[in-house]
Amino acid sequence: MAGVLQRFEQRLEGAVSGAFARAFRSAVQPVEIAAALQREIDNAAQVLSRQRMLAPNDFTVELSPSDFDRLNPFGDTLSGELATLVREHVKEQRYTLAGGLAISFVESPELGTGRFRVRSRTNATVKSSSGAGLTDSGVLRYEAVLEVNGMRHPLVPPGLVIGRGSEADLRIDDPGISRRHAEFDVHDTGDGLSVTITDLGSTNGVVLNGHRVTTATVQHGAEIRLGNTTLVVRIGEQEA
């Protein structure tokens, strides 16, 4: 761990020279954030199997207003160096990342100068083979949608297959999800859509509202857990 932090400090010194040191003379130090990120990764890592552990890949660093103002001019440089540090730490500890790495800084008024918090989550990369994924702006209307990591994807007849492999209609880069994990069957009953989910023989199963299922009808607002990813089904909400 000491080697990773030392390399981080050396890279940062080369990138911003003494300007960064002057800005942070009496505030939170970049190496403190780096060490906190390493601790957060170790504490939040989840066991996938005897030889694999899943590490969070989405980090938010909360800073006091004064520290945030000092940090802002160097935010991109620091984020890049912290991302390099995280990748090195993940590699050394032989962790697995669920998706792309993201590190952001936000202002928290309740924090005093020199104090900060690191929050993390596992946020798998999601791709639709049809390219029909919806953004939060919701340009299109659909009678049923599937929310995954803040993105909405249409659920239309006859349905779709979710998995980690390239043959899945909706790909989720989550190590806990099988290549062909589950299938959504969608039917128009005349009075609305009927949605059913079926486990396709996955390794970790399908958990619907806290209960493992093989095949089940899905209602509006249902939460489905596949691997380390939670999906929410919305039926009958035709949002613009």
Side-chain angles (χ1 to χ4, degrees):
M1 181 179 294
V4 173
L5 287 175
Q6 186 176 17
R7 291 195 297 273
F8 166 77
E9 287 188 292
Q10 291 172 347
R11 287 194 303 267
L12 195 61
E13 287 174 1
V16 298
S17 185
F20 204 104
R22 289 193 298 272
F24 276 78
R25 183 170 298 144
S26 61
V28 62
Q29 299 298 312
V31 70
E32 294 177 320
I33 299 176
L37 280 170
Q38 289 182 314
R39 289 194 299 271
E40 178 66 18
I41 293 170
D42 293 337
N43 292 335
Q46 306 173 44
V47 177
L48 291 177
S49 65
R50 293 179 61 182
Q51 297 182 335
R52 298 179 70 195
M53 294 190 69
L54 182 69
N57 63 309
D58 193 333
F59 301 89
T60 300
V61 180
E62 299 180 358
L63 297 162
S64 70
S66 58
D67 287 329
F68 182 82
D69 289 341
R70 292 186 182 97
L71 171 69
N72 201 40
F74 311 98
D76 291 341
T77 299
L78 182 57
S79 293
E81 295 302 335
L82 287 172
T84 299
L85 172 138
V86 168
R87 292 188 183 96
E88 289 181 350
H89 184 65
V90 165
K91 182 178 180 180
E92 287 191 0
Q93 300 301 316
R94 298 183 180 179
Y95 293 146
T96 299
L97 290 176
L101 191 61
I103 301 175
S104 59
F105 302 93
V106 298
E107 183 178 343
S108 293
E110 72 273 15
L111 293 176
T113 301
R115 299 186 65 85
F116 67 95
R117 284 192 297 258
V118 174
R119 301 187 188 276
S120 68
R121 63 175 180 166
T122 300
N123 198 4
T125 301
V126 183
K127 297 179 181 178
S128 173
S129 61
S130 65
L134 296 176
T135 65
D136 288 336
S137 60
V139 176
L140 303 178
R141 293 175 179 266
Y142 290 97
E143 188 175 345
V145 295
L146 190 63
E147 292 184 2
V148 191
N149 293 340
M151 299 293 290
R152 292 189 168 195
H153 304 267
L155 279 176
V156 297
L160 56 83
V161 172
I162 292 182
R164 188 165 45 87
S166 58
E167 65 273 23
D169 300 309
L170 188 63
R171 295 175 58 190
I172 302 179
D173 189 16
D174 180 338
I177 291 179
S178 299
R179 295 185 63 81
R180 282 174 53 88
H181 196 108
E183 182 174 13
F184 280 94
D185 290 311
V186 183
H187 301 282
D188 191 343
T189 66
D191 296 322
L193 291 183
S194 172
V195 180
T196 302
I197 188 169
T198 300
D199 187 350
L200 298 178
S202 65
T203 301
N204 294 316
V206 173
V207 178
L208 172 63
N209 293 329
H211 302 281
R212 185 160 179 165
V213 299
T214 300
T215 299
T217 300
V218 180
Q219 305 295 333
H220 170 69
E223 290 191 355
I224 299 169
R225 189 162 186 83
L226 307 180
N228 302 282
T229 301
T230 299
L231 303 78
V232 180
V233 177
R234 306 290 185 189
I235 303 173
E237 291 186 355
Q238 295 192 10
E239 297 183 358

